[in-house]
Amino acid sequence: MKFIKLAILASGTGSNAANILSYLKNSESVSVGLIATNNSNAGVLEYAKAYNVPTLILESARFKKGDAYIPELEKFDYLILAGFLWKIPAKLVQAFSERIINIHPSLLPKYGGNGMYGHFVHEAVIANKESESGITIHLVDEVYDNGKHLFQAKCLVNEADTPESLAQKIHQLEHANFPEVILEYILSRN
Ligand SMILES: Nc1nc2c(c(=O)[nH]1)N[C@@H](CN(C=O)c1ccc(C(=O)N[C@@H](CCC(=O)O)C(=O)O)cc1)CN2
Ligand SMILES: NCC(=O)N[C@@H]1O[C@H](COP(=O)([O-])[O-])[C@@H](O)[C@H]1O
């Protein structure tokens, strides 16, 4: 079987990226060859250093209006968005058709779209007194949070929950499922 190379794109703390790196550390068929971020202060860069993974700092104009770093990214088989906060431009979506996977911290289509990321999602769920929330893992198309769903998992939300306590529940679901959903999808296509 072909050896599969992943690039992770992340903007923040990087707990999902770290979880994927840990999950794949002994894999003989899939590896993470790059961590790219738009934030030179992102915590994810510390995990890249710890796992000795090359990094790439994305510059806005080149990513959004230039070549979208396709020369650097096209050597990878899949792009994994793990808390990446910029829209993937159409030319990169087209270059990686059905090969970009994103994790979103809500039960899409609820609480998705522009402005719906990180704590903003949890704040909206709590403000609306939802009884449940969860995660969605989906393919990425040219629109925010619109691609084909690969997986969803739910958690209960109770009156005592805060955006912070809900975020913890969501992170537990993400860490328990994202690596396995990624592997299941890419191995089903190779
Ligand atoms: N073409 C696509 N690009 C991206 C997708 C996608 O589905 N299609 N998913 C996002 C991740 N995401 C939700 O899962 C998401 C991330 C960020 C935003 C957002 O509103 N961002 C702000 C900018 C925030 C910042 O720069 O700090 C914005 O665009 O104004 C919405 C959804 C990754 N890319
Ligand atoms: N809409 C995108 C979005 O909100 N993504 C969310 O960013 C967080 C990143 O956490 P991490 O940096 O600890 O992996 C995760 O909860 C992920 O679902």
Side-chain angles (χ1 to χ4, degrees), residues 2-180:
K2 173 179 181 286
F3 193 81
I4 297 168
K5 297 178 292 184
L6 310 180
I8 295 176
L9 282 68
S11 299
T13 309
S15 73
N16 275 284
N19 187 50
I20 293 165
L21 288 167
S22 173
Y23 189 89
L24 294 174
K25 67 178 179 294
N26 297 319
S27 174
E28 295 179 357
S29 56
V30 184
S31 74
V32 176
L34 179 72
I35 288 183
T37 183
N38 60 309
N39 176 4
S40 58
N41 297 314
V44 71
L45 294 171
E46 292 306 309
Y47 289 117
K49 190 185 301 182
Y51 283 89
N52 198 27
V53 175
T55 60
L56 174 65
I57 306 297
L58 303 171
E59 191 274 322
S60 178
R62 181 178 173 197
F63 185 77
K64 296 176 181 178
K65 296 183 168 54
D67 64 8
Y69 289 87
I70 288 175
E72 290 89 337
L73 295 175
E74 64 185 358
K75 64 188 71 167
F76 297 96
D77 299 296
Y78 292 86
L79 305 183
I80 308 300
L81 310 187
F84 187 65
L85 298 186
W86 284 354
K87 180 170 283 186
I88 303 294
K91 66 171 60 175
L92 188 54
V93 172
Q94 288 151 16
F96 277 85
S97 178
E98 299 190 338
R99 295 191 294 138
I100 308 176
I101 302 171
N102 180 56
I103 191 163
H104 182 78
S106 80
L107 295 170
L108 292 174
K110 297 182 81 173
Y111 304 102
N114 201 310
M116 279 288 118
Y117 58 93
H119 66 89
F120 295 114
V121 174
H122 310 314
E123 286 172 2
V125 168
I126 296 293
N128 289 341
K129 300 187 184 330
E130 297 283 357
S131 60
E132 64 180 21
S133 188
I135 63 170
T136 304
I137 298 168
H138 65 92
L139 297 182
V140 166
D141 64 17
E142 297 177 14
V143 179
Y144 272 146
D145 305 326
N146 184 60
K148 177 187 174 186
H149 292 183
L150 300 179
F151 178 84
Q152 289 192 310
K154 295 181 179 181
C155 64
L156 295 177
V157 183
N158 58 55
E159 288 181 3
D161 271 311
T162 64
E164 292 73 25
S165 65
L166 177 53
Q168 287 181 355
K169 292 181 179 179
I170 294 294
H171 274 313
Q172 284 176 351
L173 285 179
E174 294 177 333
H175 298 166
N177 294 287
F178 198 14
E180 291 181 4

